[in-house]
Amino acid sequence: MTSSDQPTVVVVDFGAQYAQLIARRVREAKVFSQIVPHTISAAELTAMNPAAVILSGGPASVYAEGAPSIDAGVFAAGIPIFGICYGFQTMAAALGGTVAQTGLSEFGGTALRVTEPQSALFDSLNSSLNVWMSHGDAVHTAPDGFVVTATTQGAPVAAFENLDRRLAGVQFHPEVMHSEQGQTILEHFLYNIAAIAPNWTMSNVIDDQVALIKQQVGSKAVICGLSGGVDSAVAAAIVHKAVGDQLTCVFVDHGLLRKGEAEQVERDYVAATGIKLKVVDARERFLEALADVSEPETKRKIIGREFIRVFEQAAREVVAEAGEQGEEVEFLVQGTLYPDVVESGGGSGTANIKSHHNVGGLPDDLQFSLVEPLRTLFKDEVRAVGLELGLPPEIVWRHPFPGPGLAIRIIGSITEERLAILREADAIAREELTAADLDRDIWQCPVVLLADVRSVGVQGDGRTYGHPIVLRPVSSEDAMTADWSRLPYDVLARISTRITNEVRDVNRVTLDITSKPPGTIEWE
């Protein structure tokens, strides 16, 4: 069964980074979802024949000049609708309720009092819940025909519903993990108010993408930039399922890889999938291009540019190797994920935090059409797809590693010597985390070399002046937010001792205990 056969929940995006998270939570409830902009007309929306509509949050005030709105005809279309935060306020205002500032803004964890415990949204839940708020305005009075079902100190109407019209909404964010019973509340809307059966699975995602890839690619040749990470591995596996031997994977050894990675890709992935693999040694090219470059955005853009140039050359070689029957390669597969798109400014109303090499770092004269089967997915969803496709666990559960590689884990310019130092320190950290059986307890552990910083130390009864190494263990669900992982002290001690004993020019190991936000997971 494909998405065309499935009930679809349409998420209307009012400019919040959480719109995709809402869509993801719907998929976690085994219901197909997709996102549309708030500028969609009622006619366009109803033509999609949605089983339900969810109105996302957003940063604006509903009464501000130029504030995003939605065609009021949507509310008269007989479609079940669920409003969240700004979407909740938009619904209230459009249907005759009142929205205004209370003088009590609420941000973060907030106590919610359920006033109608038998309501459809809060049925069988506790009468008091801790939920995640982010608002200055609040609904003061609900529209006629709506029952107020919850309240907070700063939101007189924190939830309401009209079951006859199958309309409901909440001021808080049930989609974030910080809202107690948030997923259950969302599922109550989907199952009980919208009456949608939960039967969407990762198999559907694969079937959908295979069908779309076949339609996009046809009989033409395709190349995929394979890094060995889970994103590109899963993307390649989906495309291979769709077009078979039309796909050639290109593995670029850019000299920025971790210890043993090139061997792992050439040995493990090919053995598991049977995919055609072309290996390109571009180490000298990348190091020359990155010489004396320290600024992070410049590094990312250079790496993105060089990747594409290498792929273009590889594509020409693939055609040449195919002989007279060879076709021009028109398509490039990338393992782009939604967090890459959002952080590169690709989400509606989102800021450009940093350019990912596969999004904001692509050159303007790109000669390929992109195939990005994972562009709307988060990392844990990609892993689920990988397991469904039968990829080896050691590939599926490999910690995330950025496409630009160790270049963005060296604070300063890139040299062979600095790469060697970081490569050894990173290998030690990974070895010790694996030995302690912590690989799945953390999201990843970037190891950072402060190449432009030196500190005084004592090694071998003598004074040293070496580089600090930073450990950045983080826990996350989707990389949109993250917290530092509380690793056992004995594990941290072993990592520190081994690095300072075994890695030359390193005399200090530090621990980064910053969450995201305010920090990003990677330092650059």
Side-chain angles (χ1 to χ4, degrees):
M1 181 180 289
T2 65
S3 61
S4 61
D5 306 313
Q6 285 278 340
T8 300
V9 172
V10 173
V11 179
V12 177
D13 184 3
F14 284 106
Q17 290 191 10
Y18 286 149
Q20 184 70 23
L21 184 55
I22 296 169
R24 176 188 159 195
R25 296 301 188 209
V26 173
R27 293 198 295 268
E28 287 178 357
K30 297 184 178 179
V31 177
F32 179 69
S33 63
Q34 63 185 101
I35 298 175
V36 299
H38 66 84
T39 52
I40 191 169
S41 69
E44 291 170 328
L45 188 59
T46 54
M48 297 176 67
N49 193 29
V53 170
I54 297 178
L55 308 179
S56 84
S61 167
V62 294
Y63 294 129
E65 183 178 354
S69 61
I70 189 168
D71 189 329
V74 170
F75 298 108
I79 304 168
I81 300 176
F82 185 51
I84 294 175
C85 193
Y86 182 86
F88 171 64
Q89 296 172 5
T90 296
M91 177 189 292
L95 296 175
T98 59
V99 180
Q101 290 187 340
T102 63
L104 290 172
S105 299
E106 293 175 316
F107 299 98
T110 303
L112 179 86
R113 183 170 64 88
V114 177
T115 56
E116 294 288 339
Q118 301 305 312
S119 64
L121 288 180
F122 299 105
D123 183 40
S124 302
L125 301 184
N126 294 335
S127 59
S128 179
L129 299 170
N130 190 56
V131 298
W132 193 260
M133 288 282 200
S134 182
H135 71 97
D137 296 346
V139 177
H140 277 225
T141 58
D144 290 342
F146 282 74
V147 176
V148 178
T149 58
T151 186
T152 70
Q153 184 178 3
V157 180
F160 59 39
E161 58 190 52
N162 183 328
L163 298 184
D164 291 336
R165 298 180 63 182
R166 298 190 296 173
L167 304 177
V170 295
Q171 179 61 65
F172 57 92
H173 288 275
E175 73 274 18
V176 303
M177 60 187 301
H178 309 292
S179 284
E180 186 180 0
Q181 297 295 315
Q183 183 69 9
T184 300
I185 292 167
L186 181 59
E187 290 175 358
H188 281 176
F189 167 74
L190 296 172
Y191 305 156
N192 302 338
I193 296 178
I196 303 173
N199 53 19
W200 174 251
T201 67
M202 282 301 144
S203 295
N204 301 123
V205 173
I206 296 169
D207 292 343
D208 268 9
Q209 288 302 319
V210 166
L212 289 170
I213 292 164
K214 286 181 177 179
Q215 181 181 20
Q216 180 184 7
V217 172
S219 61
K220 296 185 180 298
V222 191
I223 61 173
C224 173
L226 188 66
S227 69
V230 63
D231 304 338
S232 62
V234 173
I238 292 178
V239 175
H240 188 248
K241 184 178 178 67
V243 300
D245 285 344
Q246 292 169 234
L247 171 68
T248 299
C249 285
V250 177
F251 172 65
V252 177
D253 185 352
H254 51 24
L256 309 171
L257 300 171
R258 295 185 293 186
K259 189 175 182 177
E261 284 185 312
E263 295 79 6
Q264 182 190 51
V265 171
E266 292 190 62
R267 180 187 65 242
D268 298 343
Y269 190 70
V270 174
T273 62
I275 283 176
K276 291 188 295 184
L277 179 66
K278 180 179 181 62
V279 179
V280 179
D281 185 349
R283 289 175 291 181
E284 185 175 342
R285 174 178 184 153
F286 277 81
L287 286 173
E288 286 181 358
L290 290 166
D292 301 320
V293 176
S294 298
E295 203 279 320
E297 275 292 278
T298 304
K299 284 183 186 176
R300 289 175 178 272
K301 291 183 182 297
I302 288 172
I303 292 168
R305 180 195 70 209
E306 293 302 316
F307 256 110
I308 295 303
R309 298 290 90 97
V310 170
F311 285 137
E312 289 169 349
Q313 177 60 35
R316 289 190 288 270
E317 293 174 2
V318 169
V319 172
E321 291 164 3
E324 294 182 0
Q325 303 302 315
E327 289 189 41
E328 190 73 19
V329 178
E330 293 185 15
F331 297 97
L332 169 64
V333 180
Q334 292 198 138
T336 307
L337 305 191
Y338 184 70
D340 300 339
V341 177
V342 170
E343 289 194 337
S344 298
S348 175
T350 59
N352 185 351
I353 299 170
K354 56 186 177 184
S355 295
H356 289 258
H357 75 284
N358 53 351
V359 186
L362 295 175
D364 295 333
D365 59 343
L366 180 68
Q367 297 179 20
F368 298 110
S369 295
L370 297 180
V371 179
E372 298 176 308
L374 312 178
R375 191 178 177 90
T376 63
L377 300 183
F378 288 82
K379 182 74 73 174
D380 57 328
E381 293 177 313
V382 172
R383 287 197 170 108
V385 170
L387 293 173
E388 185 75 21
L389 288 166
L391 294 182
E394 58 267 24
I395 291 177
V396 172
W397 292 105
R398 184 172 179 260
H399 282 181
F401 185 59
L406 298 179
I408 60 169
R409 293 183 178 176
I410 293 177
I411 309 304
S413 60
I414 312 301
T415 67
E416 285 273 23
E417 180 183 17
R418 290 174 172 183
L419 284 167
I421 292 170
L422 181 54
R423 197 173 280 124
E424 290 302 318
D426 174 87
I428 289 170
R430 287 188 290 139
E431 287 171 9
E432 291 298 334
L433 290 172
T434 299
D437 198 25
L438 292 171
D439 284 338
R440 295 198 190 181
D441 291 343
I442 64 173
W443 177 263
Q444 65 183 117
C445 183
V447 178
V448 180
L449 173 64
L450 302 185
D452 289 341
V453 176
R454 287 185 178 270
S455 65
V456 174
V458 178
Q459 291 171 301
D461 294 327
R463 179 185 185 276
T464 61
Y465 196 50
H467 297 292
I469 285 285
V470 181
L471 304 179
R472 174 71 165 136
V474 293
S475 300
S476 180
E477 188 177 15
D478 48 36
M480 296 299 289
T481 60
D483 195 13
W484 64 281
S485 302
R486 276 64 168 175
L487 297 181
Y489 288 157
D490 60 331
V491 175
L492 291 171
R494 283 197 300 272
I495 294 173
S496 177
T497 299
R498 285 195 57 194
I499 289 176
T500 53
N501 284 348
E502 299 175 29
V503 182
R504 59 185 176 82
D505 291 333
V506 174
N507 62 2
R508 192 179 300 271
V509 175
T510 65
L511 179 66
D512 183 346
I513 59 171
T514 311
S515 63
K516 175 187 178 180
T520 54
I521 291 178
E522 299 289 349
W523 272 47
E524 290 198 353

